[in-house]
Amino acid sequence: MVTIADAASGQLRYAEEVTRGVTPAVAFKNLRLTQESLDEGYETVVSQEISADGNIIDTIPVRAGSQGSVEGELSIGTYDDFMESALQGDWSTLINRTGTDLSITAATKTLTAGSTSFSGIAAGDWVKLSGFVTAANNGIFHVASATANTLVFDRALEGTLALVDEAAGASVSIRMQKLTNARTRHFYSIEKEFSDIGQFRVFRGMEVDTMALTFNVGEVLTTQFGFIGMSSDAGTTTFGTGAHIGSSTAPVLSPVANTGPFAIDGAPYQNGILSMTLNVSNGLRAQESIGSLYPVGVGRDRVNVSGQMEFYFADNTIYSKFKTRTPMSVTFYVTEGVAADGTADPSLGSTYVFELPKVKVTSNPTNLEGLGNDVISQCDVQALKSDFGYTIAVFKF
């Protein structure tokens, strides 16, 4: 009896390419997912040649290329590589410095160092402090200005910024890693294994064209990465070299237990949000040429970051932004840390902070849907280049 492949026995894995379209001779890393649609698009045209017997003579290939999406449930660290490709950037070198020379001046909201360096930290960044004796001085804070040995903060990720004077002496750590949109491209070979029948396929030159992060009440946080690539191949053994690298084991995140309040212009939005989707698109396009069935390259457009939210209507805060075309900032975070009361607590686990420093509201319909319904306001936003030189930043702690 023939064995038919079962989706539960499937596995995706990937490796970053040095040269686009060339599978590197390295171990592939297993990828967590819920479903995927990777395939080779193979377009043909039907021959129009006349046959006296009334039959179609042939179909002729005119273009081919790989594309499709990978969907998953969000967990910290699992999709960091694909986030690089989506934002066309690179994760910065992790800053993780510890010193006993760090002090806090509450009146000026300043962190001062004696010899510990703050190099690599700039205005607009979020940093995590831990180790101060005073609990209020520990947390994730937004940097308003930075020098080699001073950081001035203007807000806290959670609650109000309420620093307390504290002299140097405690062993204090400062931590930060960030990814911003740029113009650096990342390409991957993605392998699909049907383990129960011993079959493999590989898709080469795969680059993230679109990324979506979706938050819905009653569901887990989900991700979707849409790819455009080049050729594909099939075989009965892996296309990687050596033992596969295991996937991350970080917990799947929830939009209620692992997500903190969304902040508008630095202030938590208190009206309640039902759903939110963050979209990134690079406008990739296949570059075709006579003499090549597959694309000879892939062009790109500008990075386009947009979003949609649904929230309970309680005031005209968002509508005022829409009406006056006033830019605002949007900040939200997801974390593995969960407090005893079931709410998100970034001090207890790894955290992503998503920052859109400058967005404009492009639509804000608020309608009466009939009796027995809450009034739900919708909000579409377009992210723009900020004074920091980027449209979106992701910070990891």
Side-chain angles (χ1 to χ4, degrees):
M1 180 178 177
V2 65
T3 300
I4 298 173
D6 193 307
S9 299
Q11 175 68 63
L12 283 190
R13 56 182 61 96
Y14 70 97
E16 186 163 0
E17 298 172 349
V18 177
T19 302
R20 180 166 200 156
V22 179
T23 299
V26 299
F28 279 38
K29 182 177 181 179
N30 290 338
L31 182 67
R32 296 162 64 175
L33 74 156
T34 55
Q35 61 181 4
E36 53 83 23
S37 61
L38 301 180
D39 194 15
E40 179 177 319
Y42 199 85
E43 184 177 338
T44 62
V45 297
V46 176
S47 171
Q48 299 301 302
E49 186 174 307
I50 297 172
S51 174
D53 58 8
N55 291 299
I56 293 175
I57 300 300
D58 202 358
T59 61
I60 303 96
V62 294
R63 61 169 59 91
S66 299
Q67 67 278 309
S69 66
V70 175
E71 299 179 33
E73 298 169 338
L74 184 62
S75 51
I76 304 293
T78 299
Y79 301 103
D80 282 3
D81 292 336
F82 292 166
M83 290 169 68
E84 280 189 322
S85 186
L87 271 59
Q88 298 189 25
D90 294 292
W91 285 100
S92 67
T93 300
L94 173 66
I95 293 174
N96 190 15
R97 300 167 188 160
T98 301
T100 57
D101 59 329
L102 303 179
S103 62
I104 292 285
T105 303
T108 58
K109 303 175 183 177
T110 301
L111 173 69
T112 303
S115 58
T116 300
S117 172
F118 294 149
S119 64
I121 301 174
D125 290 346
W126 289 88
V127 298
K128 183 175 183 178
L129 299 181
S130 59
F132 276 114
V133 175
T134 306
N137 295 333
N138 298 315
I140 298 176
F141 305 113
H142 187 259
V143 179
S145 63
T147 68
N149 62 353
T150 61
L151 299 178
V152 178
F153 303 124
D154 58 1
R155 52 191 164 110
L157 185 63
E158 292 191 298
T160 58
L161 182 62
L163 300 176
V164 177
D165 287 339
E166 184 169 339
S171 180
V172 176
S173 295
I174 183 167
R175 185 179 179 93
M176 187 273 286
Q177 189 173 21
K178 69 177 177 180
L179 170 67
T180 63
N181 64 285
R183 299 296 278 177
T184 302
R185 306 182 76 167
H186 297 269
F187 318 113
Y188 307 93
S189 285
I190 303 179
E191 178 178 88
K192 185 189 306 188
E193 179 184 3
F194 306 90
S195 63
D196 49 357
I197 61 171
Q199 300 294 308
F200 296 79
R201 292 184 183 177
V202 68
F203 303 90
R204 300 185 177 94
M206 303 297 279
E207 182 178 10
V208 176
D209 181 30
T210 61
M211 178 180 78
L213 302 180
T214 302
F215 300 64
N216 285 322
V217 171
E219 302 176 8
V220 300
L221 298 179
T222 61
T223 66
Q224 183 182 61
F225 296 91
F227 291 86
I228 289 180
M230 303 182 81
S231 65
S232 70
D233 207 349
T236 56
T237 59
T238 180
F239 289 85
T241 301
H244 303 309
I245 302 170
S247 58
S248 76
T249 58
V252 172
L253 303 176
S254 158
V256 291
N258 302 103
T259 303
F262 285 65
I264 305 296
D265 287 336
Y269 188 76
Q270 303 290 356
N271 294 352
I273 296 176
L274 290 170
S275 69
M276 193 282 290
T277 300
L278 175 69
N279 296 302
V280 177
S281 174
N282 290 309
L284 300 185
R285 60 189 182 276
Q287 295 171 324
E288 302 172 331
S289 173
I290 292 173
S292 177
L293 179 62
Y294 294 94
V296 295
V298 175
R300 59 179 172 173
D301 203 344
R302 301 170 295 178
V303 64
N304 184 352
V305 182
S306 60
Q308 300 83 39
M309 289 188 293
E310 289 184 315
F311 53 90
Y312 294 110
F313 181 63
D315 58 49
N316 281 318
T317 300
I318 301 298
Y319 178 77
S320 297
K321 299 286 188 181
F322 166 68
K323 186 68 174 177
T324 61
R325 303 288 295 153
T326 302
M328 63 183 186
S329 67
V330 175
T331 308
F332 59 95
Y333 72 87
V334 295
T335 182
E336 294 175 0
V338 180
D341 63 357
T343 59
D345 185 345
S347 69
L348 300 178
S350 298
T351 301
Y352 285 137
V353 176
F354 295 86
E355 179 89 342
L356 281 65
K358 183 179 181 180
V359 303
K360 283 189 175 182
V361 181
T362 56
S363 69
N364 185 216
T366 304
N367 301 312
L368 304 175
E369 299 292 345
L371 298 175
N373 290 295
D374 298 308
V375 177
I376 305 300
S377 187
Q378 298 175 339
C379 174
D380 292 330
V381 299
Q382 176 68 55
L384 307 170
K385 180 181 178 180
S386 69
D387 292 339
F388 305 119
Y390 51 78
T391 299
I392 180 174
V394 185
F395 298 87
K396 183 169 64 171
F397 308 99

